Amino acid sequence: MKKLIIANWKMQLSLKESLELAKQSVKKIKGKNIIVLCPDFLALPYVGPILKGTNLNLGAQDSAIVGRGAYTGEVSPLDLKALGVKYVILGHSERREHLHESSLIINAKIKVALTGGLIPILCVGEKLEVKKNGETEEYLSREIAHSLQGVKIKSASDLVIAYEPIWAISTNKNARPMSALDADAIHKFIKARAARILKKPVAVLYGGSVNAANAGEFLSQKNVAGLLVGGASLKIKDFSHICSL
Ligand code: 13P
């Protein structure tokens, strides 16, 4: 089955480097999977034309809580759509942490993105402390319920969830990937919680220290529909290997 593999370039590259990586990606990434590259906002209008007509899709890393209005500094999902953006990452833990984004805000962003014709990739995931306290399931249930409250989708492919345990994200202190078997069990749990709200079986991706060596193991799990990749998506050799699995 085709897997969904998403590259989150975060704010790690200069505009010049983003364009170079986009060109390399078009040359090197092959295979049957659905691949999405998410550069930062500034690079989107330049990366879009590079990906046009290829098997690589364009994604954004965020979008606004409304389609149009007096929202200084925000970027409308309508303009992203017009640029050829298909997917949008919403509620990434880095935005929740550094920019204090609440599930209420993320919920509004999801609704507007859907109305604008984008596919939201809702990120959820717990901190190490929550895991240590054995409260992962309660925490995720709450995060999913608040983020998806009142969200309606027509088909299962209209929305994607990415499970990224915060303690596994490579740029966080003492990060390590979770075991593929543990990931499978949590993905099953997330799928069931989301299906209760959305009435559709949406795909759940894994993210957190995915690399060329461990990606295959995650992808072979029944409940893991794909990957959200940070650090390794910036290395074309590693990412093209991950995409080819
Ligand atoms: P890493 O793959 O670098 O751990 O990042 C994961 C992530 O945050 C992707 O959104």
Side-chain angles (χ1 to χ4, degrees):
M1 221 178 72
K2 274 189 194 180
K3 299 281 184 173
L4 179 56
I5 302 184
I6 302 183
N8 180 5
W9 292 355
K10 306 193 179 182
M11 200 184 67
Q12 301 283 23
L13 303 176
S14 68
L15 177 57
K16 201 166 158 228
E17 288 165 338
S18 293
L19 302 198
E20 190 45 44
L21 185 55
K23 285 181 200 153
Q24 286 289 321
S25 302
V26 168
K27 261 196 227 155
K28 302 269 163 67
I29 297 176
K30 305 263 167 351
K32 60 184 186 333
N33 292 316
I34 302 165
I35 314 298
V36 184
L37 305 184
C38 303
D40 63 26
F41 281 140
L42 194 61
L44 277 173
Y46 304 97
V47 170
I50 297 172
L51 306 190
K52 209 164 177 197
T54 73
N55 60 340
L56 305 178
N57 298 282
L58 193 60
Q61 297 176 17
D62 188 33
S63 64
I65 56 167
V66 291
R68 199 63 72 198
Y71 286 79
T72 302
E74 289 300 283
V75 174
S76 168
L78 306 175
D79 294 327
L80 295 175
K81 176 78 181 171
L83 273 182
V85 169
K86 195 165 171 194
Y87 294 81
V88 58
I89 299 171
L90 293 174
H92 194 283
S93 59
E94 288 151 10
R95 297 195 61 84
R96 292 181 194 259
E97 167 95 11
H98 305 308
L99 298 149
H100 308 291
E101 255 186 35
S102 65
S103 288
L104 196 71
I105 288 182
I106 293 151
N107 178 257
K109 289 185 172 185
I110 291 173
K111 288 175 180 164
V112 181
L114 281 168
T115 309
L118 299 176
I119 301 173
I121 303 156
L122 164 65
C123 298
V124 296
E126 80 287 0
K127 283 189 177 156
L128 187 59
E129 197 183 316
V130 173
K131 174 182 147 69
K132 276 188 179 156
N133 291 339
E135 291 165 351
T136 299
E137 292 196 350
E138 292 97 300
Y139 182 89
L140 292 175
S141 295
R142 254 196 328 271
E143 212 172 37
I144 293 165
H146 292 165
S147 305
L148 292 181
Q149 196 178 16
V151 169
K152 296 210 168 26
I153 54 172
K154 290 195 191 83
S155 114
S157 55
D158 288 351
L159 186 141
V160 176
I161 296 182
Y163 171 57
E164 298 202 306
I166 295 170
W167 47 268
I169 293 178
S170 68
T171 43
N172 291 339
K173 215 172 140 209
N174 299 328
R176 64 203 140 80
M178 83 186 307
S179 87
L181 277 181
D182 287 350
D184 192 53
I186 298 200
H187 279 66
K188 191 173 173 198
F189 172 82
I190 293 171
K191 236 161 97 173
R193 299 305 299 190
R196 235 194 249 186
I197 301 167
L198 298 168
K199 315 279 181 249
K200 302 270 186 296
V202 296
V204 185
L205 318 181
Y206 172 75
S209 294
V210 170
N211 56 41
N214 65 19
E217 218 184 319
F218 286 111
L219 290 175
S220 65
Q221 303 303 317
K222 185 165 163 258
N223 294 292
V224 177
L227 302 168
L228 178 53
V229 188
S233 76
L234 304 173
K235 302 174 200 149
I236 189 60
K237 194 160 169 256
D238 293 13
F239 191 63
S240 56
H241 172 74
I242 294 169
C243 293
S244 72
L245 294 169

